[in-house]
Amino acid sequence: MAGVATTDGVPSKRPMDADAAFSAIFERHHALIYHYLRTLVADDAVAEDLTRDSFVRAWRSFECEEPRNPKTWLYAIATTAALSAMRRRRLLRWLPVRAEHDARGMPSTADLEPLVGERAVLVRALNRLPAAEAACLLLRFQHGLSDAELAEALGVPVPTAKRRLCRARVAIREAYIRLREDAFG
Amino acid sequence: MNCERVRQLLPRYADDDLDEDLDDSEVEALSQHLQVCDDCRERLTLDRQLAQALSSLPEPALAPNAPDAWRARLRQEMASGTRGRTWHRATATSANALAAAIGLVLIGCVLGVVVLASGSFLGSGARRATLAATAATTPPAAARTVPADTSTSAPPAFPGTGRPLSITRVQPAMVTTGAPLGASPEKVTFADARHGWVLDGDCTWPGANGCSVLATADGGATWAEQFHTTLAVPEIFVLDDSHGWLLVSNCPGAAGACPTEILRTTDGGWPARPSVGQPGMVAPGGVQALGGLSQTWLQVGSAKEDLSDLQFLNPLDGWALGRACPPSRDDCTMKVMQSTDGGATWNDATSKQFTPVALRLVDPFNGWAVGCSDPGYVVGGDCRDPAIWGTRDSGRTWLGQLNLPPQYAFAAFVAAIDRMHAWVLLSDTAACDENAGDCRGITWGLLYHTSDGGWTWESVRAGTEAGTPADAWIHLRDARSLQPTVLTGAPAGLRFASPDLGWIPVRAGSGNLRGGLLLTKDGGTSWFFVAGEPGWSVDDVAVGGSVSGAVTWAVGTRRVTSGQVPFLVKSTDLGQRWQQVLPVVTPITTVDFLNPVRGWGIGSEAGAGRIFSTTDGGQTWTMLVGLQNAAALSFVDPLHGWVAGDDGSPGGGTVWSPGAQDLSFDPWTAAALGARNVLETDDGGHGWRTVYRGWGQIVWLRFFDRVHGLLVTLSAPDHPGPGLLATSDGGATWSWKAGISGVAPVLAVDFPNPRDGWVAVRTDAGTVELRTTDNGGLSWTTVGDVDLWTFAVSHGGAVAAVGLSFDTPRDGWLGFANVLLRTTDGGRTWSEFDLPDNLPRSIDVASVRAVSERAAWLTTTDRRLLETDDGGATWRDLPTG
C-alpha cells in the first residue's frame, strides 16, 4: 500500500503512511490531551471517552488534511469535543454559582466535601467557571499556548481569544475570592 | 477610573497588554488607581498567583490500560472504510475510473459519510449499518442503493453535474454506539399540523451518535428515521410537507468554516406516504425506523462556505448566510448566499454596503438583514456601525432602514411574517461563547418592530430595569406569578406566527440561570415565560398548524439528577401545559397494580428510573415528574404509595415537588448512590417526600396498608448479604427482621402478606432456588428443587431476570427466560404455562405482577408489557410509550 499513484501525473493528495504519521501524533500527544480533558471535565471516565473521541475525530479530519500544528489542532478538537459534550450531555457541572442559591436553602457542594487548602479552592473555582472559560485558562497556563495558538485552539480570532482569556481570568479571580471567603472566612 | 473597570482590566495589565483597549492616559489612570486602592492591588497580585498556581496544577494519573483502548479504537477506525483505500482500488481499474475516483476521494473528504438510501434494513441492532449513496436528481425508486461489497466498484457518474457519486461505508463503530432514536432532539420544524421533522443526536456538532432526521406525518404520535449520517446536520428547513432541505457539514471537530452539502427532498423524505398502523410504524409515542431509510433526501449541491440561517421561499429560491474563513481563521467573513435552483448552486449575493449578521426573506423579493458596515468587520467582533437593511428586489439593492447603536460581540435575529411586519432582536453575547453554547446570560436586549415594511422601525420598550440601557427590552413577566423577571438566559432565536403571536427560545446556559420559552401575544410589547420551569433550556421552537389552533413544539434540555435530558415537547395551549414527545419513555422494569385498571410502573427515560401511572390497565401511561432513579414501588390505594429510590439529596432537600426538584442537589454526588431512600406520596405520585434514608441498594419494597411494609436491601450495616426490613409506622423507621439468603444474591422477592413470602436466590452452585417463609422471613425453606437455570437452558433460553409474584399465599407466578410457571398450592407444584403463540419465542420475562387469579401483567427484558385478564390464557401486548 505504500506509495501514492503519482505516476500518471496525479499529485498525491496525502501520503499513504498516514496511519503511521497519525500514530506518531497520537503517541506524542495523547497523555497531554488526556491531562487537559481530565482537568477540564473533572471526571476520569468522561475524560477517557473524550480523549478517545477526540483522536477518532482527529483521524477523520487527518485523512483529508494534515494539520500545520498538530498540538494546537488536537487542542482545538479536544476543546470542541469537551464543550459540545458538556453542553449537550450529562456532564454539566451544575453547581450553584451564586450565593442566592445557597440562600434558598439548597445544599451546595460546600456541605459535602471539606476544603483541603488553596489548591482545592482553585480547582473548585475552576469548576465553577463556564467550561469555555476554564478551557481558556487551562490552555494558556497549564499548557502554555501563545495568543495565536489559543485563538486557533478556540477557533476564534486572536483579539477575541485575548478578550476571552481576560474575562476568564477575572472570573476565576472573583470566584476564587468568593470561595476563599466562604472557606476560610 | 473605578474599581469595577480596573478589575476587568487587571489581567491585561498584569500581562502588560493594554494597548488595544486603552490609550496612554487611561493606562496612567489605572496605574494611579492601583497605587491608592489596596483591594485592586491585592487582586493584581492574586491574578499573578493564580496564573502560577494554574500552571502547576498536578497532572492527573492516566489509567494504565486507557491508551491501549484508544489505540485499539483508532486501529479499528483506520481499518474501516478509509477513503484512501477506495481510491487505491479504483486506481487499478482504469484511467477514467481513476479520475472519477479522485473526485470521489475529494468529495469523500468534503462530504464524509452521508448515509442515504439503503434498500435493506439490517435489524434493530444494526439500524445504522447502511451504505451511503447520494444522487442529485434520481427519483426515489431509482435511487442507487449499493450492496455492502460494492464500494470497490468504480463510482457511477453523478447525475446532472458529472461529478462522481459518493459511496462511503459507515464506520462499523457507529452501528452499535448510537443512542436510542429520539433520545437527543436538537432542532424541530413543522410544515403544518401533522408533518414535522426533528434533528436527533449529535447534529450541531459531529459526534459518536451521528445525526438522524426523524419525521412524523401524524402530528408527532409516531416518528420514523428518514436519514442518518455521522456528519453534523446543523439545520433543516421545510417549506411544506413535500419540500425540505438539510445542511450537512463536514468538520470533524475542527474549528473554522466548514464546507456545506445541501440535501433536498421533494416528497417530504418519505419513500411512501406513511399512515398510522402501517407495518414499520409503531404505536403512539414510539420511534422506529422504517423498513429502509429514506431514499429521498438527496444531495443537490454544495457550498464551500459554512451555511446557516437556511430558508427557502419556494422550491427554487433559497437564501442563507455563509461563513468563509481563510486558513488563518483570524478573519472570518459572513456572506449572503442565494440559490435560484433549489439549492444546487449558491451565489455570493453580499451587498458591498454591509456584512450580514442575520437575514430573513419573506418572499423571493422582500426581506431584511441586520448587518455591520464597518470595513474589516470580523464575525463575532465589535461593530461600530450596525444597521437594519431591507431589500425589495431579491437582494440586488439594500436600503439602510435603521441605524443601530454600536455593538460589542452581539447576536441578532430577524423574524418576519409578511412584507410589512418584521422584528429584530439584538442581544449582547459578552458572556456567551456561541461555539460552546455556553452562556451565562445576556445583560440586555433590544427589540425593534416595523409594521409598514421598514419605513419606520420602533424600539419595543415594555419597560426597563435598573442598570440596563434606556432602550433595553428586558422587562418580562412570569406567566404564573406575573412578577417582573429578568432574562438571564440567552435568546436562541426569534419566531412570529402572526402580527401578535411570537416566541423567543431562551437557553439557560451553565449555572442556575433561567431558560425557557418566551411568548408574546401583542406583537412583542409584553413577554411571558412559558415552559420556564427551573432547569429548562430551550434551543428551538416550531409552530404547527394554523395560528388559531397552533401547536407549539420546543426542543431543549431539562436538568435532572444525572445531568440533562434533551427533550421535544408540544403544547396545544400556548405553553400552559407541555407533553413530552421525545425521548420516548417506557415503563419496563416494574409494575404495580391496585386493580385491573389502576397501576404504576417504573420506566426509563434516558437511563433514569421514572414513575408512571395508568388508569386504563396500562394502555396509556403518564410520567410523574417528581422523582428520578426509582427502583421499586408499592401502592396501597390510589393516593398512597412508596418508592425505593434516590432522592439525590445527600445533605438536604427532602421535599420533592413537581418541577422544582432538579436544582436542589449535585448530580455528581447523587449519581452513585443507588436506591437507598424510601419516599412516600399521598397524592398518587405527583409529589414525593423522603421518609427514610437507608444504606443503599433497596431492590424490593411492598406495603400492605398505610403503616405496614417490608423491604429488601442488599447492603445493611452489620449484616452480610441481603436482608429483610420491616416498618410499622408508614416507612419512617425500619427494623431488621432477618437475613434472606446468607450471602447469596437475591433475584426476586414477593410477599402477598407480611408473613408469607417467596424469594428466588442464586446459589453457590450457580442454580436458582426458590425459598419460602411463613413467619415473616425468620426462617426459610427451599421449595422443591426448582433449578431454574437448568430448566431455562433446557427450554433454550438464558436467565437474565426472574419475575415472581404472589397475589395470595397459594397463587403465584414465576417467570424467567421464555418460561412462565404458575402455582396454585403455595409453590409445592408448578405447572408450566404456555405463552401464547402470538408472542415471540425469544421473550424474556423480567417481572410478573398479579393482582387476582385472573389479572396479571408481565414485563420482559426487551421492553414489552403484557397483560392478561383471564388467568394467563391470553396475553395482550400493551403499548409502552
Side-chain angles (χ1 to χ4, degrees):
Chain A
M1 294 292 284
V4 182
T6 55
T7 47
D8 18 29
V10 181
S12 161
K13 174 64 182 163
R14 62 179 192 76
M16 280 315 292
D17 55 358
D19 291 14
F22 189 79
S23 295
I25 290 179
F26 171 81
E27 295 305 333
R28 197 172 312 131
H29 298 295
H30 72 257
L32 208 57
I33 294 297
Y34 173 79
H35 181 189
Y36 167 57
L37 288 168
R38 171 63 181 75
T39 316
L40 187 59
V41 303
D43 183 291
D44 291 344
V46 173
E48 284 178 24
D49 287 353
L50 284 172
T51 308
R52 180 197 60 211
D53 292 350
S54 296
F55 277 100
V56 169
R57 291 182 194 192
W59 163 248
R60 291 184 195 152
S61 171
F62 189 81
E63 284 188 290
C64 300
E65 185 183 357
E66 284 196 36
R68 285 173 303 158
N69 179 343
K71 194 171 92 174
T72 316
W73 171 72
L74 287 171
Y75 281 130
I77 292 173
T79 304
T80 308
L83 297 188
S84 99
M86 295 173 81
R87 185 183 80 89
R88 209 56 209 181
R89 303 295 165 209
R90 303 163 191 170
L91 314 175
L92 278 177
R93 299 164 296 183
W94 293 117
L95 302 178
V97 291
R98 298 264 163 80
E100 73 218 37
H101 299 293
D102 298 336
R104 284 162 55 190
M106 297 173 174
S108 73
T109 46
D111 306 329
L112 305 176
E113 69 185 72
L115 287 164
V116 290
E118 298 273 343
R119 178 173 283 162
V121 180
L122 173 64
V123 170
R124 280 184 49 201
L126 194 65
N127 286 340
R128 288 192 177 200
L129 296 194
E133 292 188 354
C136 227
L137 292 170
L138 294 178
L139 289 172
R140 160 55 56 88
F141 295 111
Q142 201 182 20
H143 296 259
L145 266 57
S146 68
D147 284 346
E149 290 173 326
L150 185 64
E152 196 176 333
L154 297 175
V156 298
V158 171
T160 307
K162 287 164 78 171
R163 267 202 300 271
R164 200 176 289 171
L165 177 65
C166 179
R167 221 161 49 217
R169 293 186 65 179
V170 173
I172 195 165
R173 178 222 300 151
E174 299 303 324
Y176 181 85
I177 290 173
R178 236 180 358 256
L179 283 171
R180 196 177 52 178
E181 282 166 359
D182 290 350
F184 302 117
Chain B
M1 192 172 278
N2 64 19
C3 282
E4 186 58 30
R5 175 74 176 144
V6 167
R7 286 170 189 181
Q8 299 297 323
L9 292 168
L10 281 178
R12 306 287 287 264
Y13 183 82
D15 290 350
D16 196 16
D17 185 26
L18 283 169
D19 297 348
E20 293 171 21
D21 294 333
L22 301 180
D23 59 30
D24 290 349
S25 65
E26 286 172 309
V27 175
E28 182 59 30
L30 200 160
S31 300
Q32 283 173 2
H33 180 95
L34 281 175
Q35 285 172 8
V36 297
C37 177
D38 288 346
D39 272 357
C40 290
R41 223 172 29 247
E42 187 188 324
R43 279 175 160 78
L44 179 63
T45 310
L46 191 55
D47 278 350
R48 292 181 171 133
Q49 288 172 339
L50 287 175
Q52 178 62 34
L54 281 166
S55 64
S56 60
L57 281 176
E59 290 200 13
L62 174 58
N65 56 351
D68 284 339
W70 301 334
R71 282 185 198 100
R73 178 70 180 82
L74 276 175
R75 272 197 297 275
Q76 184 188 3
E77 188 74 20
M78 288 171 172
S80 59
T82 61
R83 291 128 200 171
R85 189 164 303 136
T86 312
W87 181 14
H88 269 279
R89 287 175 186 161
T91 54
T93 56
S94 71
N96 285 343
L98 173 66
I102 290 168
L104 167 64
V105 171
L106 297 178
I107 288 180
C109 278
V110 172
L111 181 61
V113 187
V114 175
V115 183
L116 279 177
S118 168
S120 63
F121 180 59
L122 301 179
S124 61
R127 67 183 171 82
R128 287 169 182 179
T130 49
L131 280 177
T134 58
T137 54
T138 320
R144 294 163 207 280
T145 59
V146 187
D149 58 353
T150 54
S151 58
T152 57
S153 63
F158 192 77
T161 63
R163 291 188 298 168
L165 189 68
S166 168
I167 305 170
T168 318
R169 185 189 292 271
V170 179
Q171 305 296 348
M174 296 303 151
V175 174
T176 52
T177 59
L181 279 177
S184 184
E186 294 195 346
K187 289 272 165 44
V188 59
T189 182
F190 269 77
D192 54 41
R194 290 184 300 132
H195 295 90
W197 288 261
V198 163
L199 298 183
D200 174 53
D202 296 321
C203 296
T204 311
W205 285 275
N209 295 324
C211 177
S212 292
V213 176
L214 306 183
T216 182
D218 53 13
T222 62
W223 295 82
E225 183 183 40
Q226 288 187 337
F227 175 74
H228 178 78
T229 174
T230 57
L231 298 180
V233 185
E235 288 191 20
I236 181 170
F237 181 89
V238 297
L239 181 67
D240 51 39
D241 62 1
S242 300
H243 295 87
W245 290 261
L246 297 173
L247 294 182
V248 178
S249 69
N250 182 19
C251 296
C258 302
T260 309
E261 301 293 329
I262 294 90
L263 275 62
R264 182 182 62 182
T265 184
T266 52
D267 59 6
W270 299 103
R273 290 287 161 168
S275 63
V276 178
Q278 190 177 336
M281 299 298 291
V282 292
V287 170
Q288 182 176 320
L290 294 172
L293 293 181
S294 164
Q295 302 184 2
T296 71
W297 284 103
L298 302 173
Q299 184 193 346
V300 291
S302 61
K304 61 181 186 296
E305 292 81 7
D306 186 356
L307 297 188
S308 61
D309 281 30
L310 180 73
Q311 51 187 309
F312 275 83
L313 306 158
N314 55 46
L316 293 177
D317 288 301
W319 295 77
L321 292 180
R323 194 163 67 111
C325 296
S328 73
R329 292 180 187 155
D330 276 2
D331 44 357
C332 292
T333 57
M334 197 68 96
K335 300 173 181 175
V336 174
M337 305 298 293
Q338 186 181 14
S339 175
T340 54
D341 57 4
T345 58
W346 292 84
N347 303 312
D348 184 350
T350 314
S351 162
K352 289 191 172 58
Q353 296 163 285
F354 63 90
T355 303
V357 178
L359 178 72
R360 184 63 44 195
L361 278 286
V362 289
D363 59 46
F365 306 103
N366 295 282
W368 288 270
V370 174
C372 179
S373 305
D374 297 10
Y377 169 71
V378 175
V379 174
D382 304 351
C383 179
R384 291 177 201 285
D385 192 10
I388 299 174
W389 299 80
T391 185
R392 292 172 187 280
D393 57 4
S394 300
R396 277 191 286 279
T397 58
W398 290 88
L399 286 175
Q401 294 185 343
L402 180 70
N403 287 321
L404 300 167
Q407 304 290 329
Y408 160 69
F410 70 111
F413 300 99
V414 187
I417 53 163
D418 54 38
R419 49 187 296 191
M420 305 304 281
H421 294 85
W423 293 259
V424 165
L425 173 64
L426 299 185
S427 63
D428 66 332
T429 56
C432 295
D433 180 345
E434 283 296 315
N435 284 333
D438 187 4
C439 200
R440 284 172 298 168
I442 63 168
T443 51
W444 52 262
L446 297 169
L447 184 66
Y448 298 94
H449 171 52
T450 183
S451 54
D452 57 8
W455 292 108
T456 57
W457 282 89
E458 51 194 38
S459 166
V460 181
R461 294 173 58 184
T464 55
E465 297 284 324
T468 60
D471 279 353
W473 157 85
I474 202 159
H475 189 76
L476 310 163
R477 283 179 192 283
D478 187 275
R480 291 186 183 156
S481 66
L482 296 179
Q483 292 301 306
T485 180
V486 173
L487 186 63
T488 49
L494 177 67
R495 192 176 293 271
F496 273 84
S498 76
D500 298 322
L501 197 59
W503 294 265
I504 297 175
V506 181
R507 290 200 181 106
S510 56
N512 289 325
L513 297 177
R514 180 151 197 184
L517 189 60
L518 287 168
L519 170 74
T520 182
K521 296 178 184 175
D522 56 12
T525 306
S526 57
W527 292 86
F528 297 86
F529 255 116
V530 295
E533 296 293 336
W536 279 48
S537 183
V538 177
D539 293 325
D540 195 12
V541 61
V543 185
S546 65
V547 171
S548 56
V551 180
T552 317
W553 298 82
V555 292
T557 52
R558 183 162 48 80
R559 207 178 308 163
V560 299
T561 321
S562 52
Q564 285 181 297
V565 177
F567 61 70
L568 169 70
V569 291
K570 78 171 185 179
S571 172
T572 53
D573 55 9
L574 291 179
Q576 295 302 307
R577 284 166 303 170
W578 293 91
Q579 177 193 349
Q580 178 163 324
V581 178
L582 296 174
V584 175
V585 286
T586 325
I588 49 164
T589 53
T590 304
V591 289
D592 188 22
F593 278 82
L594 282 181
N595 54 50
V597 294
R598 190 83 171 89
W600 290 263
I602 297 176
S604 83
E605 179 208 44
R610 294 275 183 177
I611 300 196
F612 299 80
S613 73
T614 180
T615 54
D616 55 12
Q619 292 290 336
T620 59
W621 294 87
T622 305
M623 183 166 72
L624 309 173
V625 299
L627 186 66
Q628 299 156 36
N629 297 334
L633 85 170
S634 175
F635 274 77
V636 296
D637 62 48
L639 293 178
H640 292 86
W642 289 260
V643 156
D646 169 20
D647 70 359
S649 53
T654 59
V655 176
W656 290 72
S657 63
Q661 77 285 1
D662 288 339
L663 294 176
S664 56
F665 50 84
D666 172 14
W668 291 99
T669 315
L673 294 177
R676 54 168 211 162
N677 299 326
V678 176
L679 298 94
E680 175 190 54
T681 183
D682 56 10
D683 62 1
H686 294 284
W688 293 89
R689 189 168 60 89
T690 302
V691 291
Y692 175 69
R693 294 182 186 287
W695 300 289
Q697 291 185 280
I698 299 171
V699 294
W700 176 87
L701 153 132
R702 186 156 177 183
F703 274 75
F704 307 101
D705 54 42
R706 297 267 292 271
V707 293
H708 293 94
L710 293 171
L711 68 77
V712 171
T713 176
L714 298 186
S715 71
D718 309 326
H719 296 287
L724 186 69
L725 281 72
T727 183
S728 54
D729 57 6
T733 59
W734 293 82
S735 57
W736 177 267
K737 289 203 73 173
I740 290 184
S741 55
V743 293
V746 171
L747 296 170
V749 188
D750 201 19
F751 277 75
N753 60 53
R755 290 186 322 280
D756 299 294
W758 281 261
V759 294
V761 299
R762 184 177 298 163
T763 65
D764 290 343
T767 61
V768 176
E769 283 183 359
L770 191 68
R771 299 175 183 174
T772 183
T773 180
D774 57 6
N775 52 21
L778 292 177
S779 62
W780 294 88
T781 52
T782 300
V783 181
D785 53 352
V786 186
D787 182 347
L788 304 187
W789 232 259
T790 309
F791 198 91
V793 170
S794 71
H795 279 63
V799 176
V802 174
L804 182 66
S805 178
F806 276 79
D807 54 301
T808 73
R810 301 180 61 82
D811 300 305
W813 295 85
L814 184 61
F816 52 93
N818 54 354
V819 177
L820 189 60
L821 301 174
R822 188 172 184 190
T823 182
T824 53
D825 58 5
R828 279 195 299 278
T829 60
W830 293 85
S831 50
E832 186 179 357
F833 218 87
D834 280 340
L835 285 169
D837 291 337
N838 61 351
L839 292 178
R841 290 291 92 184
S842 62
I843 195 165
D844 192 356
V845 177
S847 73
V848 189
R849 182 82 181 96
V851 296
S852 70
E853 272 185 33
R854 305 183 66 80
W857 289 260
L858 67 85
T859 64
T860 70
T861 53
D862 63 349
R863 301 181 167 208
R864 283 166 179 274
L865 174 63
L866 303 171
E867 175 203 46
T868 183
D869 56 9
D870 54 11
T874 59
W875 291 86
R876 283 190 300 146
D877 226 339
L878 294 174
T880 51

